[in-house]
Structure formats: structure tokens, C-alpha cells
Amino acid sequence: MHLPTVLSVVFAAAGVTAQLNDLAVAAGLKYFGTCGSEGNINSDTTYRNILNNKSEFGQLVPENGQKWDATEPSRGQFTYSSGDIVAGVAKQNGQLLRCHTLVWYSQLPSWGNVTVSGGSWNRSTLQSVIETHINNVMGHYKGQCYAWDVVNEAVNDDGTWRPSVFLSTFNTDYFAISFRAAKAADPNTKLYYNDYNLEYNQAKTDRAVELVKIVQAAGAPIDGVGFQGHLIVGSTPSRSALATTLKRFTALGVEVAYTELDIRHSSVPASSSALVTQGNDFANVVGSCLDVAGCVGVTIWGFTDKYSWIPQTFPGQGDALLYNSNFGKKPAWTSVSSVLAAKATNPPPAQTTTLATITTAPPAQTTTTSRPAVSTTSAAAPGGAQQTRWGQCGGIGWSGPTACQSPWTCQVLNPYYSQCL
Ligand SMILES: *[C@@H]1O[C@H](CO)[C@@H](O)[C@H](O)[C@H]1NC(C)=O
Ligand SMILES: *[C@@H]1O[C@H](CO)[C@@H](O)[C@H](O)[C@H]1NC(C)=O
């Protein structure tokens, strides 16, 4: 079996200059990505060139262009001029697209006297508004999105449900209504609940677990939970604590991802030791994703400190990203690169029985946005063991089960990692 191109490039570069997405894929993730800022893509060539580099970022998400106020500024009038900017870059470069977001209490449009948030709605009229919005927006991007953040930030930090027009009209029934509408609009995208501060595994996390259970109990589809990861230097949980929290969700049968990662300094400029701490914090977050079988990828919320939402929202804080304002790579970039490279270059000890299984049906190495090639493993696993959903079922050095429990199949994500999906 030959080394696929991506690994040759990664290892030829001795891990030093290898780019983040190449390393992430070699380490078993689907992608390492970033949000793209609509306003800067056509005005800043340096920014655009880095964003375009699929070896660095294999996945993009629009920062603002797909939000409700951008896509349906007037009731029933849909516009995609902003949403299409980042989607177009991803399409041009063959990068995966995460799509963001549909039902959220914030950045709702003003519709004269009938605002979504201020209108006097009953269940039937607001359900129609939600379904019309989801159907149109997801319909426009149908087939383009790896995942959609369907419901965003429905829980307060203290673990209560966040007040919104949706909660006051439907109580928690709006979750299932939204996920059902999303499934109908694009059955082939992953449907996510997305929120911040889930990383601390406290009351808010408990409530998000309940949210997933509510949707599942209603018989509605939910595929994933996004951990936004808006964190603070020096206050980021440990790698093992983060992995424990991620597993609370994968235990429910959903995948997880870090979707908006940035780790801000409480005051700027940061000292050189604070920059090192920031790097360790980033490595812990990315490492926790590598440690959890159902964690599919990491998305940072912008890559350069030149453009970030933090200084406006948290005055005096910032420098939360991997590149500085001059597009130089920070210590945190090196930390992320190192933790990915460590996993990519140090797979578990090889076992020939597993290698034989893998090489009988070599998959096409996918370097585009298409889904991984499916290799259905119907042969009985050694010892008859069958892996559960999201579990590892193959890869160089893997000695565990290679068959999946029904109805899941063993899908090859890269030479080092196959997963029951
Ligand atoms: C991506 O960036 C790396 C590192 O700067 C560079 O070597 C590579 O050529 C770039 N790829 C593309 C397609 O520009
Ligand atoms: C909801 O409001 C609409 C428009 O005002 C009205 O036609 C409809 O009868 C109401 N439905 C219920 C169940 O109250």
C-alpha cells in the first residue's frame, strides 16, 4: 500500500512546515478549518491567500453571511450575496463547508412591526416562519454543507433555557421542529446543536445533554453537537477533562466537533509566557478531539488576530488566534501543529492481521469535499467483536474489532483511522 500524497507531503516536510489540515487528516480528523470573514476576503490579499490554502484549512464556515438577518432581511425575501462569499471560496478550493446558523435568538432580522423576536406569534404562525426560513436557506445550499448548525445557543450559562421568541412560543418543542425541517430540506448534511461554554462540564453542559435527549425522544434527527470553544488563556480545561466532556455527547450517538475555537488573552499585549500558555491551551483542546473517536474536526473562529470579534465584544481582551496581526504564526500555531503531528506520526504499534484487512480493499484517498469512501466490512472480526457506532474499526496499527454493529459500516477516513458510521 503506497503512502497517499497527503502523508508524503507531511512527512517530507519533517513535520516542521506541514500545514494544519494535512496534519489533522493524517491524525484521523476529517478537517482542520476556520471561519471566513466576508468583509476581508476580497479586500485583503494576504488574508485571502491563507484562507485559500486547503493544506492549512480543509474546511470553511461563513462568519456572518448565513445568519438569519443576512439571509432573510425581510420576511419571505431571501438573499445569499453575503452567505455565498465563503461558500464560493470553499467550493473553488474543494474545502469542506460548515454552514451556520438557522434558529438562534441573536442576529435576527427586523421585519418592521413583525420582527421574529418581537412579533406576536402563535405556534402555527411561528412554525411556518421557521420552516420557511430553513427550507429556503438550506435549499439554497443543498448538497454543499458538510454540517449545518440548526439550533444555536439555546441554553444559558447557568443551565436554564435561554429566553427567546422560540422558547416562549414552543417551550422546548422548537428543537424538534427545527431539526425535522432541516432534515426535510437537506437530508444529507449533518444536523448540529451548537453552543459555547459546554467545555466546562457544568450545569450548561448538563442541559445541552438534555437537549439532545429531548430531540431524540421526539424522534427527530440530530447528528452532532458543536463545542464552540470560545475560551480564555489559563482557564481552559485539561485535555483529559475536555475529552471526558466530549464523550458525554458521543455516548448519546452524536458526533462532536470544536466549531468556533479561539482562546483569548484577558489583557493584551500578551507576555511571552502567556503566549506559551495559549499554545498549551490550544493543544489541549485539539488533543481532546484527537482522543475522542466521535470528534470529527476543529474549526477556529478566524485565524489572524488582525480580524476577530473579541476586541469589540470583550474590550481590552483578544489576540485569541493562531496567526498574529501581521500574519505571522504564533507559538499557538506551533503547538497545534505539534499535537496533530504527534498523533499523525505515532500511530499505535502495527499488527499484521489488521494491515491485511485494510489492504484487501484499499480505499480511494479522498482529498476533496466528497465523503470518505465506504468500505463495508462484512467479514467477522477476530473474536467476533463488533465495534459500536463512532468507534474505531481499522487503520494501520489497529488491533481491535474491524466489524461494526448493525446498521453501521466501517468507513476508511485515512490510512490510520477507520470509523463505524
Ligand atoms: C500552502 O501553504 C504552504 C506553506 O506556506 C505552502 O508551502 C503551500 O504551497 C501552500 N499551498 C498552496 C496551494 O498555495
Ligand atoms: C394563529 O395566528 C393566526 C394569524 O393571526 C390565526 O389565523 C390562527 O388562527 C392562529 N392559530 C391559533 C391556533 O390560534
Side-chain angles (χ1 to χ4, degrees):
M1 135 179 223
H2 73 286
L3 271 184
T5 314
V6 58
L7 287 177
S8 316
V9 170
V10 167
F11 297 146
V16 177
T17 57
Q19 302 297 280
L20 300 180
N21 184 61
D22 285 350
L23 288 169
V25 171
L29 302 182
K30 282 191 164 68
Y31 57 82
F32 190 94
T34 181
C35 88
S37 146
E38 290 83 9
N40 303 314
I41 282 177
N42 293 319
S43 64
D44 186 329
T45 312
T46 308
Y47 176 87
R48 171 68 185 261
N49 284 342
I50 297 174
L51 193 75
N52 274 343
N53 194 315
K54 191 181 165 185
S55 291
E56 185 77 337
F57 301 119
Q59 172 268 316
L60 302 183
V61 55
E63 183 168 18
N64 287 302
Q66 291 178 326
K67 292 172 180 175
W68 198 317
D69 59 356
T71 52
E72 194 184 1
S74 305
R75 187 173 178 183
Q77 303 292 311
F78 293 87
T79 170
Y80 301 105
S81 51
S82 181
D84 285 353
I85 294 172
V86 172
V89 173
K91 195 178 210 171
Q92 188 177 10
N93 296 325
Q95 293 156 307
L96 289 173
L97 184 68
R98 284 195 95 260
C99 292
H100 172 82
T101 180
L102 296 163
V103 177
W104 185 27
Y105 76 93
S106 182
Q107 292 185 243
L108 288 169
S110 303
W111 289 347
N113 293 325
V114 265
T115 62
V116 175
S117 56
S120 56
W121 306 100
N122 59 33
R123 289 178 68 106
S124 126
T125 53
L126 190 57
Q127 181 165 344
S128 162
V129 163
I130 290 173
E131 289 173 349
T132 300
H133 181 73
I134 288 177
N135 194 40
N136 276 277
V137 177
M138 287 186 73
H140 179 78
Y141 293 104
K142 190 171 182 174
Q144 287 187 61
C145 306
Y146 165 73
W148 258 109
D149 293 326
V150 177
V151 176
N152 200 44
E153 300 179 0
V155 183
N156 285 318
D157 282 347
D158 66 3
T160 55
W161 296 118
R162 186 187 291 281
S164 68
V165 65
F166 310 113
L167 187 74
S168 59
T169 305
F170 296 109
N171 199 353
T172 58
D173 292 349
Y174 79 89
F175 307 144
I177 288 169
S178 304
F179 279 97
R180 279 200 192 97
K183 189 72 177 179
D186 186 352
N188 295 319
T189 188
K190 303 275 187 191
L191 307 177
Y192 269 64
Y193 175 67
N194 190 53
D195 210 335
Y196 61 90
N197 287 354
L198 303 181
E199 297 80 13
Y200 300 105
N201 207 8
Q202 294 174 347
K204 183 169 191 171
T205 315
D206 296 344
R207 190 66 80 183
V209 166
E210 185 186 334
L211 186 152
V212 173
K213 290 179 176 172
I214 286 171
V215 175
Q216 291 174 331
I222 178 168
D223 302 303
V225 172
F227 281 59
Q228 292 183 5
H230 295 298
L231 298 167
I232 300 167
V233 173
S235 305
T236 298
S238 70
R239 177 167 172 168
S240 64
L242 289 164
T244 297
T245 308
L246 294 175
K247 285 176 187 167
R248 293 187 68 187
F249 292 88
T250 56
L252 302 175
V254 295
E255 64 180 44
V256 292
Y258 288 103
T259 54
E260 305 184 13
L261 179 61
D262 50 22
I263 308 183
R264 64 185 183 268
H265 294 282
S266 305
S267 66
V268 287
S271 67
S272 53
S273 74
L275 287 172
V276 171
T277 304
Q278 182 182 48
N280 293 338
D281 288 343
F282 264 102
N284 284 334
V285 175
V286 174
S288 72
C289 188
L290 295 173
D291 293 343
V292 174
C295 189
V296 299
V298 176
T299 306
I300 50 177
W301 206 239
F303 59 89
T304 167
D305 293 336
K306 187 174 183 180
Y307 306 120
S308 167
W309 67 295
I310 300 273
Q312 292 103 303
T313 307
F314 302 101
Q317 305 187 37
D319 289 357
L321 297 166
L322 301 183
Y323 287 74
N324 65 27
S325 299
N326 298 317
F327 298 102
K329 290 172 181 172
K330 293 162 64 178
W333 188 96
T334 306
S335 299
V336 170
S337 159
S338 300
V339 76
L340 292 170
K343 178 75 182 271
T345 55
N346 291 300
Q351 283 221 358
T352 42
T353 49
T354 313
L355 274 175
T357 306
I358 296 298
T359 48
T360 42
Q365 178 74 12
T366 54
T367 53
T368 65
T369 56
S370 60
R371 297 290 159 77
V374 177
S375 102
T376 32
T377 312
S378 50
Q386 292 199 322
Q387 186 57 278
T388 53
R389 188 182 191 188
W390 308 120
Q392 185 172 359
C393 53
I396 296 170
W398 174 246
S399 59
T402 54
C404 299
Q405 291 178 357
S406 179
W408 316 115
T409 57
C410 191
Q411 300 190 18
V412 178
L413 300 184
N414 62 54
Y416 290 101
Y417 194 73
S418 301
Q419 190 179 12
C420 290
L421 298 169

